[in-house]
């Protein structure tokens, strides 16, 4: 198993609801070499924020979509509130784990499957009507175990490789893929003329909140936001097949919150072709990323690198290891090229 695949699987297995990112924060601080700074909001900065050199920032959000405890009934059923985009079809009957912030205990349960008489079989059951069954008889039993309102609830899954060893299946690949890419680049790429700042942001899935704070702390000359989006290469996923797994990272022309800097995009494209690294054009028509916040802070050149991931915002997603490694290779080559070229970042 490659170091990249191993790290991604380890990060996938961690739990980090927006606002409760401690597990991923700790893992990245242990993994990434060199200095690290943490702000009051919880964002992490790997690199020298006080440098007089030009700065390239790599943004990766540490949180994931999930739920928190909303209400506990007297007979021990737990109603939950979603954070991030969830589709009811993928939730019923799934196994979950709740982390008690009071004592660190992890409680396993499942989302109850409702009786057929509750809803028409053609309907999507609203999340507000679903509940979690932890196999207890009372609210008091859950409270004695440490569970309370606000505790995070996430899919109870474990990352694994596909049978052909080419892909990773697991939860939270949005955006542990980016965390892996950022960590590997920080540990592998040495520069002389520029400072590379790895930024682990919080609360992206709750409205790109962390990046609004982080952009002002970093004040980078170039911003690269690393994220993922649903691959459109599965049956009936889209009329036009794009964001294809195995074709490398997407260089994003636009998403709903930001326009990619085309000069920077073309530069990355040229580096990719020069080094024979797989890449593809992308357009995120259905959502936004941290780029929207970062780009609007000071208007500095910003570009999103998007890794194709199938089945985002569900219990298990799939990513091609080759796409993750191609993203690392391409970003590393871009950084080295800028560093060796005298760091004329004003060209963008």
């Amino acid at each position: 198993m490659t170091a990249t695949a191993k790290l991604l699987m380890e990060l996938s297995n961690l739990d980090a609801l927006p606002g409760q990112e401690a597990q991923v924060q700790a893992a990245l601080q242990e993994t990434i070499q060199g200095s690290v700074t943490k702000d009051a909001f919880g964002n992490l900065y790997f690199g020298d924020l006080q440098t007089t050199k030009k700065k390239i920032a790599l943004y990766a959000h540490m949180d994931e979509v999930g739920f928190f405890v909303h209400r506990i009934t007297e007979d021990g059923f737990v109603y939950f509130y979603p954070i991030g985009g969830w589709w009811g079809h993928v939730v019923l009957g799934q196994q979950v784990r709740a982390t008690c912030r009071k004592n660190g205990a992890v409680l396993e349960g499942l989302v109850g499957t409702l009786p057929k008489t509750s809803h028409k079989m053609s309907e999507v059951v609203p999340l507000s009507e679903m509940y979690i069954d932890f196999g207890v008889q009372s609210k008091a039993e859950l409270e004695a175990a440490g569970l309370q309102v606000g505790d995070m609830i996430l899919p109870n899954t474990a990352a694994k490789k596909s049978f052909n060893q080419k892909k990773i299946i697991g939860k939270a690949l949005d955006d542990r893929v980016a965390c892996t890419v950022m960590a590997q680049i920080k540990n592998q790429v040495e520069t002389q003329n520029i400072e590379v700042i790895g930024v682990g942001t919080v609360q992206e899935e709750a409205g790109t909140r962390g990046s609004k704070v982080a952009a002002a702390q970093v004040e980078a000359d170039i911003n690269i936001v690393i994220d993922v989006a649903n691959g459109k290469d599965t049956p009936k996923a889209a009329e036009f097949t794009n964001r294809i797994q195995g074709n490398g990272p997407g260089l994003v022309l636009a998403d709903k919150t930001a326009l990619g800097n085309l000069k920077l995009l073309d530069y990355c494209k040229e580096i990719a072709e020069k080094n024979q690294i797989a890449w593809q054009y992308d357009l995120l028509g259905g959502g936004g990323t941290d780029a929207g916040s970062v780009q609007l802070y000071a208007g500095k050149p910003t570009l999103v690198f998007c890794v194709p991931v199938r089945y985002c915002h569900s219990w298990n997603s799939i990513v091609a290891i080759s796409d993750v490694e191609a993203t690392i290779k391409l970003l590393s080559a871009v950084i080295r090229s800028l560093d060796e070229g005298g760091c004329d970042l004003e060209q963008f």
Side-chain angles (χ1 to χ4, degrees):
M1 183 185 300
T2 67
T4 295
K6 182 175 183 292
L7 177 59
L8 177 53
M9 292 175 70
E10 291 172 353
L11 292 177
S12 169
N13 289 334
L14 301 178
D15 294 340
L17 193 70
Q20 302 185 54
E21 296 94 346
Q23 291 183 28
V24 176
Q25 288 166 337
L28 289 180
Q29 286 175 289
E30 183 177 340
T31 300
I32 299 175
Q33 302 161 11
S35 63
V36 60
T37 305
K38 182 178 179 181
D39 67 24
F41 207 56
N43 298 306
L44 297 179
Y45 308 92
F46 299 92
D48 183 7
L49 292 177
Q50 306 305 318
T51 183
T52 57
K53 298 177 181 179
K54 296 286 188 177
K55 289 179 283 189
I56 296 177
L58 305 178
Y59 286 83
H61 71 83
M62 299 182 289
D63 59 314
E64 65 190 281
V65 295
F67 316 92
F68 65 69
V69 177
H70 182 217
R71 180 168 61 91
I72 307 175
T73 67
E74 290 299 324
D75 50 358
F77 294 104
V78 173
Y79 287 82
F80 52 91
Y81 183 82
I83 300 293
W86 282 101
W87 187 35
H89 274 314
V90 304
V91 180
L92 276 179
Q94 298 281 13
Q95 295 185 32
V96 299
R97 56 181 180 249
T99 301
C100 304
R101 66 186 188 278
K102 181 178 182 179
N103 57 13
V106 177
L107 312 181
E108 297 182 340
L110 58 85
V111 181
T113 51
L114 306 178
K116 291 183 179 180
T117 55
S118 299
H119 293 274
K120 294 180 181 178
M121 297 304 289
S122 59
E123 292 179 346
V124 178
V125 179
L127 293 177
S128 60
E129 297 183 22
M130 298 182 190
Y131 59 83
I132 296 171
D133 188 340
F134 286 97
V136 301
Q137 301 299 314
S138 67
K139 179 179 182 179
E141 191 174 349
L142 286 173
E143 291 179 336
L147 192 71
Q148 58 186 316
V149 170
D151 284 341
M152 67 177 171
I153 302 168
L154 290 167
N156 190 22
T157 67
K160 58 187 176 183
K161 276 191 171 183
S162 60
F163 79 93
N164 61 7
Q165 305 296 297
K166 294 182 178 180
K167 299 187 179 183
I168 289 174
I169 303 169
K171 74 167 185 66
L173 300 184
D174 178 7
D175 200 18
R176 304 296 153 69
V177 165
C179 292
T180 301
V181 170
M182 185 262 286
Q184 292 293 75
I185 292 171
K186 279 296 300 176
N187 285 340
Q188 295 173 8
V189 179
E190 295 183 3
T191 56
Q192 298 295 323
N193 301 304
I194 60 177
E195 181 74 11
V196 178
I197 308 291
V199 187
T201 63
V202 296
Q203 300 189 33
E204 191 270 355
E205 298 290 1
T208 62
R209 299 169 187 263
S211 57
K212 292 178 173 67
V213 176
Q217 297 292 319
V218 180
E219 294 188 312
D221 298 279
I222 286 180
N223 301 295
I224 302 292
V225 174
I226 312 163
D227 215 320
V228 305
N230 271 322
K232 301 298 184 183
D233 57 349
T234 56
K236 299 183 179 180
E239 292 183 13
F240 172 67
T241 301
N242 68 330
R243 203 175 299 129
I244 300 169
Q245 289 202 334
N247 283 12
L251 303 182
V252 179
L253 295 158
D255 63 35
K256 280 207 153 185
T257 63
L259 296 174
N261 182 286
L262 292 180
K263 288 184 179 180
L264 180 57
L265 186 152
D266 287 343
Y267 186 84
C268 293
K269 168 191 169 184
E270 291 169 7
I271 296 295
E273 292 175 344
K274 178 181 177 181
N275 290 276
Q276 297 183 314
I277 301 171
W279 72 281
Q280 54 192 311
Y281 282 119
D282 207 347
L283 175 69
L284 308 185
T289 67
D290 275 338
S293 303
V294 172
Q295 186 181 59
L296 292 179
Y297 167 67
K300 292 301 179 74
T302 301
L303 184 65
V304 177
F305 273 57
C306 182
V307 181
V309 169
R310 293 175 180 169
Y311 322 120
C312 288
H313 291 208
S314 67
W315 249 247
N316 286 283
S317 301
I318 301 176
V319 67
I321 297 172
S322 64
D323 287 334
V324 182
E325 293 179 337
T327 307
I328 295 170
K329 289 178 182 176
L330 179 51
L331 275 171
S332 298
V334 168
I335 291 168
R336 290 190 181 104
S337 176
L338 290 171
D339 187 57
E340 294 166 1
C343 194
D344 181 15
L345 305 189
E346 302 302 323
Q347 65 183 299
F348 305 115

